[in-house]
Amino acid sequence: MRVHIYTGSLALVGKSGVGQAANHQRAALQSAGVEVVTQWQPPADAIHINTVLPCSVRAARKARRRGIPVLWYGHSTEEDFRQSFAGSNLLAPLFKRWLCHCYNQADLILTPTPYAANILQGYGLRPPVRVLSNGVDTAFFAPDPVRGAAFREKYGLADGQKAVVSAGHFFERKGILDFIALARRMPGVWFFWFGHTDPALVPRAVRKAMQTAPPNLCFAGFVTQAALRDAYCGADAFLFCSHEETEGIVVLEALACGVPVLVRDIPVYKGWLTDGVNVYKAADNAGLQTKLAGILQHRLPDVTAAGRTVAEERALPVIGQALLGHYAALPRRQAAPAPLPCAAHSL
């Protein structure tokens, strides 16, 4: 089988979860023996689209004219667009209409969790919506004390010094204001936020909070996957305060690295992440602080082995085999007939 992963606009989202998901898809398919292409020739058996920009719509229509079935990965919803860029709440209803226009070009929509699928099904989309995790590279993201020690040495963390990491854009939705507040409440703990967003797109309230962040909080910027892995391995906890997700690739990465994971108790995790079993959850900042202190002081049971199992169930070879099944079920159609030469119209 040959699959075309459309790359026309991926460069614009390369530092986001969408870009990472596309990388996962390529690796997952290759592990399943699928030939992955990024060009229109030779023709593919299916096209896989991740982005929701105008060029993506054109690519879907081009594929359909050529008889190539279209699988669209539904990474985005109106709900997770809100509380992101400056002005996102005003644009959210229009964004939802655009999402529907994009997704309706597909023969099948995949989205990473039942929660996200329920949202998209509520949009009244024509194509069926199915669930498949973004997956995680469990060979790359794995417990490694040596790499963890390298992270701690790089940032000058003394033996016994507690370190908490998180990752994402500088969005209110991602919980950055809560992360800053928790760092202020826990001055004896080092907090690290990995990721970057163009300052012009960051809402004023977030910029102000970052400028007045406490001294025990380090905004480490955008780093390589290897550096992020080292941070997971060297941290005492991964704290993800996000208020809305369709899955959360960084959560899967942290679970794979065997670091204790604490997340906000939001619906997206229902059914696959369980408080006190494979992660810890809390509903608000007070609860997050209490649970985080319990993790750091080793007063809560160690759930990292069960967390690693969650990641292994979503390892890239598993995702590759599941993708094969979805491609096989895509409808096949005839390519549109080529237009007749001009001379033929005069016959």
Side-chain angles (χ1 to χ4, degrees):
M1 175 175 281
R2 181 184 297 115
V3 173
H4 178 178
I5 294 183
Y6 179 65
T7 60
S9 52
L10 278 178
L12 298 176
V13 295
K15 295 182 179 181
S16 72
V18 175
Q20 187 61 21
N23 293 334
H24 287 179
Q25 291 156 15
R26 176 190 294 272
L29 290 171
Q30 290 173 339
S31 75
V34 175
E35 181 184 357
V36 178
V37 298
T38 57
Q39 303 295 328
W40 291 94
Q41 294 296 333
D45 299 297
I47 187 170
H48 195 132
I49 299 176
N50 288 280
T51 51
V52 290
L53 294 172
C55 63
S56 305
V57 173
R58 292 194 295 270
R61 290 175 173 171
K62 181 176 180 178
R64 293 173 71 92
R65 288 195 302 270
R66 297 185 176 198
I68 302 172
V70 178
L71 187 150
W72 208 306
Y73 214 105
H75 299 287
S76 300
T77 65
E78 177 191 11
E79 288 74 7
D80 80 351
F81 182 76
R82 292 181 178 274
Q83 301 296 327
S84 54
F85 300 105
S88 61
N89 288 2
L90 291 174
L91 295 172
L94 292 176
F95 184 66
K96 177 182 176 180
R97 291 177 61 184
W98 174 251
L99 285 178
C100 292
H101 176 66
C102 291
Y103 294 155
N104 276 331
Q105 311 301 314
D107 295 292
L108 174 66
I109 301 164
L110 290 183
T111 197
T113 56
Y115 170 74
N118 185 61
I119 289 175
L120 293 181
Q121 287 163 348
Y123 291 178
L125 300 169
R126 290 191 295 271
V129 180
R130 302 286 183 263
V131 175
L132 182 63
S133 170
N134 286 303
V136 60
D137 186 345
T138 53
F140 183 85
F141 290 100
D144 190 326
V146 174
R147 295 187 184 280
F151 159 75
R152 298 183 67 86
E153 181 180 357
K154 177 179 179 179
Y155 289 95
L157 295 170
D159 290 344
Q161 176 67 60
K162 301 300 183 181
V164 176
V165 302
S166 194
H169 282 292
F170 301 151
F171 294 164
E172 186 174 347
R173 171 178 67 83
K174 289 290 185 181
I176 190 168
L177 297 181
D178 308 289
F179 194 80
I180 294 171
L182 287 165
R184 183 170 285 112
R185 293 180 185 181
M186 304 177 75
V189 177
W190 268 101
F191 287 72
F192 295 85
W193 185 284
F194 292 90
H196 178 75
T197 303
D198 186 332
L201 301 176
V202 179
R204 182 179 303 173
V206 174
R207 293 200 307 270
K208 183 177 180 181
M210 292 176 65
Q211 290 165 359
T212 58
N216 61 317
L217 171 52
C218 172
F219 292 105
F222 180 80
V223 297
T224 65
Q225 288 285 285
L228 187 57
R229 173 191 56 193
D230 294 355
Y232 294 141
C233 292
D236 296 283
F238 177 79
L239 172 61
F240 200 51
C241 303
S242 181
H243 294 261
E244 181 70 29
E245 293 291 323
T246 54
E247 184 175 40
I249 289 178
V250 292
V251 173
L252 291 178
E253 293 171 349
L255 289 170
C257 286
V259 60
V261 171
L262 172 60
V263 298
R264 185 180 300 279
D265 191 0
I266 54 177
V268 69
Y269 304 127
K270 184 178 180 180
W272 62 285
L273 293 181
T274 303
D275 183 40
V277 175
N278 42 39
V279 298
Y280 284 99
K281 298 180 181 179
D284 54 26
N285 283 6
L288 289 169
Q289 182 177 355
T290 299
K291 290 282 182 74
L292 183 58
I295 292 170
L296 297 179
Q297 296 166 16
H298 304 289
R299 290 188 282 104
L300 295 176
D302 185 354
V303 298
T304 55
R308 171 72 186 183
T309 298
V310 171
E312 289 170 341
E313 291 169 350
R314 292 157 179 79
L316 296 187
V318 176
I319 301 303
Q321 291 298 322
L323 279 171
L324 277 179
H326 286 300
Y327 293 136
L330 287 171
R332 297 298 186 265
R333 63 173 65 84
Q334 294 294 320
L340 292 172
C342 294
H345 293 290
S346 63
L347 297 178

